[in-house]
């Protein structure tokens, strides 16, 4: 049952995904793509706290809809991102890409609304399949291989999640999806945590992200960067707040991501590593588990979706117009594509935590909350990551792409950028600026309002601290600009170990197993075939002596007896009376003899 005003934001996306392939081939159908995100946006503001939707299936009651303080804030930003992302992709004529995007977003909303593990798992796997297609539909050899690896990773995570769900139901007879206490955690809870950590790209389970996102379609990667990891952040905040292991994992993610981002040449790969880093802030805030850090994690997830979506849009637009995303092949594009540069810098300053941008009001809340809980190591790691973020995303990438890199030949034509791509970027840029200037736009929707009043971003200390870090980062970049100059090499990080494991498996199959297979083949030819021939000869003897002579002989005897018995059944009464007299005399003779 549903409450009277509840609307599930996944419904319109699923319906459009089903209907879209059958719509006429003209371009008018594209405007219908705006209906699902507008409906979701409306629902995010009109669904009331406590609204819910239940479905009965196979004697189970599935809680597929739940609106509370935590799901509401994520639903709202998912809706804004879906609207901007679909507008950004309106120029795409490939219906398969649009269907995949619709299903992917529907899966994300479904995970936010789910109040039981079965519903969560269903939408979780919809995201896996649709996300795989968003990478594969770039239709290059690299994208197909990356999509396969993406699928394998997420199937592994899904299996861990499913195993945990089954074990948990066996123990509790309930599929309820809610907070789990660390002290009472079981093997089932740890399996569920592992499944969530795959989607959150927790190191070392993160390699699928920088492998797949740079190889996806221009528009598909925009959706991917916004939903997969943030859905994982939501479920971690729902189920595992206060788990200290997540605080350590988040600190490692934050630093690890910026280190590898600073060495990259591929622009979308740089941004992918920074997803790992920025999600680290959220995971750390969830792991500390205080109200302020949980608010900081939610606020940073909200801000991250907006500015990371804008980053992938602007870099994707560079790829669309210039035909490359490699920094050593770009440069001097600020004058030829100034609006792309402007939108990119809004996003870059946001992710760097510059005052007046939304990253400043979310990142500083998380760090302040962590420090307030006396988690010095975690707080220092997050501050260090902030320095690396500004160096690589705020300075290195735009410097080599728009100004000081290898200048693109001014006579080389650039592909015109469709208006809808600029509109999509403008929506996110406006939100990044508006929230930075007026934090209440975001803070009023955070789940723990009692902690909101404890933090004020616009203090002299916060502003001076942020500007000092950014100034130090700028100086570090100026000194090291020759050292971190882009190069063509591919940095594999943990992917190296995965590839090593793959090579080891190939070696195992092609060498030791092949050797044992050859020995088995020789044994088969020498001994096993002879044994089979001997068994076949014994079977033939058995058939002749037992089957043919004994079984078949007995059958023939019964047949002859039956034929004889049938011949005396003439139907004449005289014959039957005569037989009875003969049988009676024979019996009398036997008794007479024995007596």
């Amino acid at each position: 049952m549903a409450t009277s005003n509840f609307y599930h934001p996944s419904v319109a996306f699923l319906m459009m995904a089903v209907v879209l392939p059958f719509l006429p081939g003209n371009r008018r159908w594209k405007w219908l793509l705006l209906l699902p995100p507008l409906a979701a946006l409306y629902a995010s503001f009109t669904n009331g706290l406590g609204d819910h939707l239940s479905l009965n299936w196979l004697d189970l009651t599935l809680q597929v809809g739940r609106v509370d303080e935590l799901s509401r804030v994520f639903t709202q930003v998912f809706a804004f991102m879906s609207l901007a992302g679909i507008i950004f992709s309106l120029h795409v004529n490939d219906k398969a890409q649009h269907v995949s995007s619709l299903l992917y977003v529907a899966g994300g909303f479904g995970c936010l609304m789910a109040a039981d593990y079965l519903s969560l798992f269903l939408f979780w796997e919809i995201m896996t399949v649709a996300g795989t297609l968003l990478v594969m539909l770039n239709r290059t050899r690299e994208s197909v291989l990356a999509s396969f690896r993406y699928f394998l990773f997420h199937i592994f995570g899904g299996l861990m999640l499913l195993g945990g769900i089954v074990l948990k139901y066996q123990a509790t007879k309930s599929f309820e999806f809610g907070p789990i206490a660390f002290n009472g955690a079981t093997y089932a809870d740890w399996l569920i945590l592992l499944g969530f950590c795959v989607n959150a790209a927790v190191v070392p389970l993160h390699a699928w992200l920088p492998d797949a996102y740079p190889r996806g379609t221009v528009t598909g990667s925009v959706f991917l960067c916004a939903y997969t990891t943030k859905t994982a952040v939501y479920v971690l905040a729902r189920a595992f707040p206060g788990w200290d292991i997540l605080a350590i994992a988040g600190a490692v993610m934050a630093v690890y991501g910026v280190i590898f981002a600073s060495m990259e040449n591929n622009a979308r790969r740089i941004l992918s590593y920074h997803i790992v880093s920025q999600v680290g802030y959220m995971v750390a805030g969830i792991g500390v588990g205080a109200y302020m850090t949980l608010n900081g994690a939610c606020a940073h997830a909200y801000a991250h979706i907006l500015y990371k979506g804008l980053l992938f849009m602007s870099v994707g637009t560079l790829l669309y117009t210039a035909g490359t995303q490699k920094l050593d092949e770009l440069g001097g594009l600020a004058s030829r594509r100034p609006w792309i540069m402007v939108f990119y810098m809004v996003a870059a300053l946001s992710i760097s935590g510059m005052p007046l941008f939304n990253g400043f009001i979310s990142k500083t809340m998380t760090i302040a909350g962590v420090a307030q809980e006396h988690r010095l190591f975690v707080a220092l790691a997050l501050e260090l990551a902030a320095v690396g973020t500004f160096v690589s995303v705020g300075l290195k990438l735009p410097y080599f792409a728009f100004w000081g890199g290898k200048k693109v030949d001014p006579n080389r034509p650039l592909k015109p950028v469709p208006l809808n791509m600029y509109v999509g970027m403008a929506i996110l840029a406006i939100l990044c600026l508006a929230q930075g200037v007026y934090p209440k736009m975001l803070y009023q929707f955070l789940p723990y309002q009692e902690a909101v009043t404890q933090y004020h971003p616009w203090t002299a200390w916060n502003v001076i601290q942020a500007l000092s870090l950014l100034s130090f980062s700028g100086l570090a970049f100026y000194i090291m600009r020759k050292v971190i100059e882009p190069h063509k090499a591919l940095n594999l990080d943990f992917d190296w170990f995965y590839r090593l494991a793959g090579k080891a498996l190939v070696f195992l199959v092609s060498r030791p197993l092949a050797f044992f297979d050859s020995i088995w083949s020789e044994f088969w030819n020498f001994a096993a075939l002879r044994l089979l021939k001997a068994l076949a000869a014994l079977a033939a003897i058995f058939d002749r002596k037992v089957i043919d002579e004994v079984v078949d002989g007995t059958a023939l005897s019964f047949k002859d007896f039956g034929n004889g018995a049938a011949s005396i059944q003439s139907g004449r009464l005289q014959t039957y009376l005569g037989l009875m007299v003969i049988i009676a005399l024979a019996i009398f003779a036997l008794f007479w003899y024995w007596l």
Side-chain angles (χ1 to χ4, degrees), residues 242-575:
W243 281 49
D244 191 64
I245 189 174
L246 292 178
I248 304 301
V252 172
M253 291 170 67
V255 176
Y256 186 92
V258 296
I259 290 174
F260 278 91
S262 64
M263 299 185 291
E264 274 298 330
N265 179 41
N266 186 306
R268 287 200 294 179
R269 195 167 165 88
I270 291 174
L271 301 181
S272 297
Y273 274 115
H274 274 289
I275 293 178
V276 176
S277 177
Q278 296 298 302
V279 171
Y281 285 83
M282 308 166 208
V283 172
I286 294 168
V288 172
Y291 281 172
M292 184 182 293
T293 61
L294 290 171
N295 273 345
C298 295
H300 202 49
Y302 198 120
H304 180 269
I305 289 173
L306 299 180
Y307 64 63
K308 185 60 70 172
L310 181 54
L311 284 170
F312 266 85
M313 283 181 179
S314 52
V315 169
T317 307
L318 278 183
L319 172 60
Y320 178 88
T321 187
T324 182
Q325 56 187 348
K326 296 179 179 178
L327 297 185
D328 64 329
E329 299 174 359
L330 292 171
L333 291 175
S335 60
R336 301 183 66 183
R337 290 291 181 265
W339 279 111
I340 299 177
M341 182 268 294
V342 169
F343 290 135
Y344 176 85
M345 289 309 303
V346 169
L349 294 175
S350 296
I351 192 176
S352 302
M354 176 71 75
L356 301 179
F357 297 87
N358 63 350
F360 170 72
I361 69 166
S362 62
K363 185 181 295 186
T364 53
M365 175 185 283
T366 306
I367 298 174
V370 171
Q372 193 175 81
E373 296 299 315
H374 308 290
R375 301 303 300 273
L376 182 60
F377 168 78
V378 178
L380 289 176
L382 299 184
E383 290 283 19
L384 180 62
V387 173
T389 299
F390 185 53
V391 169
S392 54
V393 179
L395 296 173
K396 174 186 173 179
L397 197 155
Y399 175 79
F400 289 104
F402 295 108
W403 295 292
K406 179 182 178 181
K407 294 185 180 297
V408 176
D409 184 356
N411 297 320
R412 172 184 169 184
L414 299 178
K415 190 175 181 180
V417 177
L419 177 62
N420 63 282
M421 297 180 81
Y422 284 124
V423 173
M425 289 188 284
I427 292 173
L428 296 185
I430 291 170
L431 288 173
C432 288
L433 282 165
Q435 288 182 348
V437 174
Y438 188 60
K440 190 178 179 180
M441 285 181 62
L442 172 56
Y443 285 2
Q444 64 181 322
F445 296 107
L446 295 179
Y448 304 101
Q449 283 297 307
E450 58 270 32
V452 170
T453 56
Q454 300 176 14
Y455 180 74
H456 302 282
W458 286 104
T459 63
W461 168 251
N462 286 336
V463 173
I464 292 173
Q465 183 186 33
L467 293 177
S468 299
L469 280 175
L470 295 174
S471 300
F472 172 77
S473 303
L475 178 62
F477 172 77
Y478 179 78
I479 296 172
M480 300 180 62
R481 66 187 186 281
K482 298 296 183 181
V483 177
I484 61 175
E485 187 171 341
H487 53 86
K488 293 183 180 295
L490 177 65
N491 300 307
L492 295 178
D493 72 287
F494 264 92
D495 221 10
W496 185 86
F497 294 101
Y498 298 134
R499 297 187 184 205
L500 180 63
K503 292 177 180 178
L505 180 61
V506 171
F507 175 83
L508 180 66
V509 171
S510 61
R511 296 295 178 85
L513 290 183
F515 172 74
F516 287 113
D517 180 67
S518 64
I519 294 177
W520 170 253
S521 299
E522 290 296 328
F523 170 78
W524 180 265
N525 293 329
F526 178 77
L529 287 179
R530 294 184 181 184
L531 178 61
L532 287 177
K533 289 178 181 179
L535 291 175
L538 291 175
I541 295 172
F542 179 81
D543 180 67
R544 290 196 304 270
K545 298 298 183 181
V546 178
I547 302 298
D548 293 345
E549 295 183 7
V550 178
V551 178
D552 292 349
T554 303
L556 290 173
S557 299
F558 276 102
K559 179 182 178 184
D560 293 338
F561 175 78
N563 290 335
S567 64
I568 65 174
Q569 296 180 11
S570 61
R572 293 181 298 175
L573 182 60
Q574 299 90 332
T575 303

Side-chain angles (χ1 to χ4, degrees), residues 194-210:
L194 180 60
F196 290 166
C197 285
V198 172
N199 275 30
V202 173
V203 178
L205 303 172
H206 70 288
W208 57 270
L209 197 157

Side-chain angles (χ1 to χ4, degrees), residues 20 48 123 128 190 347 381 426 502 567 582:
L20 184 60
F123 288 106
T128 293
W190 285 100
S567 64
I582 292 171

